[in-house]
Amino acid sequence: MPVPVPQQRSVPAAETSHGDLTLLVIEDDPAGTTITVPELSAAAGTRVRIRTARNLTEAARLLTDDVDCILLDLALPVAASDSAPGDAPVSGRAAELAALTHVLRIAPLHAVLALTAEDDTELAAEAVRVGAQDYLFRGELDARVLSRAIRYAVERKRADMAQHQLTESRLRAQENARLERGLLPTPLLDGSGLSFAARYRPGRSRALLGGDFYDVVRTPDGTVHAMIGDVCGHGPDEAALGVELRIAWRALTLAGLCGDELLSTLQQVLEHERQSEEIFATLCTVDIAPDGRRAGLCLAGHPAPLLARAGRPARLLPYEDGGPALGLLPRARWPRRQVELGGAWSLMMYTDGLIEGRVGTGTSERLGQDGMVAMVNGRLAEGLAGEELLEAAVAEVRELNGGELTDDVAVLLLGRDPERVRRGGGSAPRSRPASPVVARPLGVQRPPL
């Protein structure tokens, strides 16, 4: 089928690239000397398939995904039926580009070449500004120019689409990062006299939040409430549910709820917000008395915290009286156990991602709670505490696993040192929100919360 442009000369195929091309020519006057398919194929150095359309309606029928490029005559008249619903009549330059505007609307993913008269440079340049990849003049057109223009337009369109997708991806990533960072907790510990450190890493690649969640607040009566939990699963829905549960926990805690009453209400939140009845969440809550020497502990299917006292090896807090995970039993109860902390202590709360890592490449053996206790005691014997203790422990877990852990990991460490409090004036360092690290090893230092 002929291409309705003047024929001048063809060129050897060696000057062009390879790969089949499909060209859709939209021209209402196919009369006159033309470049034929063999001539254009010779110039392109490859097979060229050509389709012609006399109007925009016919072009819409011929426009399929296999079309690589569109050659559009800017002088093509636009029928009223081709206008989009609600379009107002246009005049001037907009009217001259009406055909191009219509083609760009119906073919946003295709490369477009604008064909115009030789003396209308301004219209040709305006066509490129509006969205065409290039323009061609009838009087200077031959098979070589057309074949090169087609290939360059196709590659330019691909580059434009790739750049657009990259920009869109970056903007979406920045927006998600701001959103997720804003959803991370800002612990409220001022005036408590307690130290605080945390590590957090989601199992999902390039994510800031996973299904694990934690929070710490101090209520007006001086009690410090700490919580850590884990929603089953690792996707964005689980991360969103974890955020909802954390915010609900903080609101309920500040409203005065504690223990079984608080967990029962959280279970109602979970039941209303989860995507399916199979979704559940484990939770550990600790409320530390204003004097810092004792605490109440509630477990909802969650691993028990680790308590380390000065001069004594770390040990797990009692977990025999724990209740089921949230969302498993409709009328469950979660008893609150009183535990003695002592004068100087450190309390480590964690999710199961920390203890379910393997202890050797190619083995199925897990670290487990006993292995974690032994590991932490080894680090305590080295004199590590606070940030250094968390950093070393999490790095060793990752090393034992032989690489990145696949599950979400959250660890927080609360501590009380009466001597430090007296030296520092009776208050803990001001807490600040976390700055999550994406796709970095667990052993990398992160700012304290």
Side-chain angles (χ1 to χ4, degrees), residues 1-225:
M1 187 175 294
V3 179
V5 292
Q7 176 185 357
Q8 301 215 5
R9 62 186 179 89
S10 60
V11 295
E15 293 187 22
T16 62
S17 65
H18 300 279
D20 289 356
L21 295 172
T22 299
L23 177 68
L24 174 60
V25 180
I26 310 176
E27 164 68 68
D28 67 342
D29 184 17
T33 304
T34 62
I35 295 176
T36 64
V37 173
E39 292 166 338
L40 188 56
S41 295
T46 185
R47 180 186 176 191
V48 179
R49 296 181 295 268
I50 300 176
R51 303 173 187 172
T52 59
R54 297 174 180 270
N55 53 59
L56 297 176
T57 301
E58 185 177 352
R61 291 197 301 267
L62 297 175
L63 185 62
T64 55
D65 291 339
D66 62 331
V67 172
D68 297 289
C69 186
I70 298 171
L71 179 63
L72 172 68
D73 183 2
L74 294 182
L76 186 74
V78 179
S81 59
D82 293 326
S83 300
D87 283 356
V90 295
S91 59
R93 185 67 77 190
E96 295 177 302
L97 295 172
L100 175 62
T101 303
H102 178 84
V103 169
L104 293 175
R105 183 169 61 243
I106 66 174
L109 304 180
H110 293 77
V112 178
L113 290 171
L115 185 63
T116 186
E118 185 176 358
D119 59 350
D120 207 344
T121 305
E122 291 186 5
L123 178 62
E126 185 69 11
V128 173
R129 190 193 68 80
V130 169
Q133 273 60 60
D134 205 347
Y135 62 84
L136 299 170
F137 293 130
R138 283 193 177 86
E140 298 179 351
L141 192 64
D142 61 16
R144 180 179 61 180
V145 171
L146 178 57
S147 65
R148 285 182 175 176
I150 293 171
R151 290 182 284 109
Y152 293 164
V154 169
E155 293 304 319
R156 190 176 298 119
K157 183 64 176 182
R158 290 174 179 170
D160 291 345
M161 292 295 295
Q163 182 62 40
H164 175 75
Q165 292 173 356
L166 178 61
T167 301
E168 189 178 62
S169 177
R170 286 175 176 171
L171 291 175
R172 187 182 298 110
Q174 291 172 3
E175 181 178 332
N176 289 341
R178 287 192 298 269
L179 175 62
E180 292 181 313
R181 189 173 294 112
L183 292 174
L184 285 171
T186 302
L188 305 178
L189 280 172
D190 292 343
S192 67
L194 301 182
S195 61
F196 180 84
R199 290 292 181 273
Y200 188 99
R201 193 187 191 286
R204 290 184 297 137
S205 175
R206 296 192 297 275
L208 292 177
L209 289 182
D212 292 1
F213 55 98
Y214 66 89
D215 204 352
V216 181
V217 298
R218 180 174 182 261
T219 49
D221 64 355
T223 302
V224 171
H225 302 262

Side-chain angles (χ1 to χ4, degrees), residues 278-301:
E278 288 74 27
I279 300 295
F280 63 90
T282 65
L283 199 69
C284 170
T285 68
V286 174
D287 54 279
I288 303 171
D291 63 5
R293 302 184 65 87
R294 63 190 183 281
L297 170 66
C298 287
L299 294 175

Side-chain angles (χ1 to χ4, degrees), residues 200-267:
Y200 188 99
R201 193 187 191 286
R204 290 184 297 137
S205 175
R206 296 192 297 275
L208 292 177
L209 289 182
D212 292 1
F213 55 98
Y214 66 89
D215 204 352
V216 181
V217 298
R218 180 174 182 261
T219 49
D221 64 355
T223 302
V224 171
H225 302 262
M227 171 271 291
I228 193 166
D230 181 3
V231 178
C232 66
H234 311 290
D237 291 337
E238 288 76 13
L241 182 56
V243 170
E244 291 183 79
L245 292 175
R246 181 190 69 76
I247 295 173
W249 177 88
R250 174 174 286 201
L252 294 171
T253 299
L254 294 176
L257 273 66
C258 186
D260 181 76
E261 185 180 10
L262 187 149
L263 292 175
S264 297
T265 308
L266 278 181
Q267 175 158 278

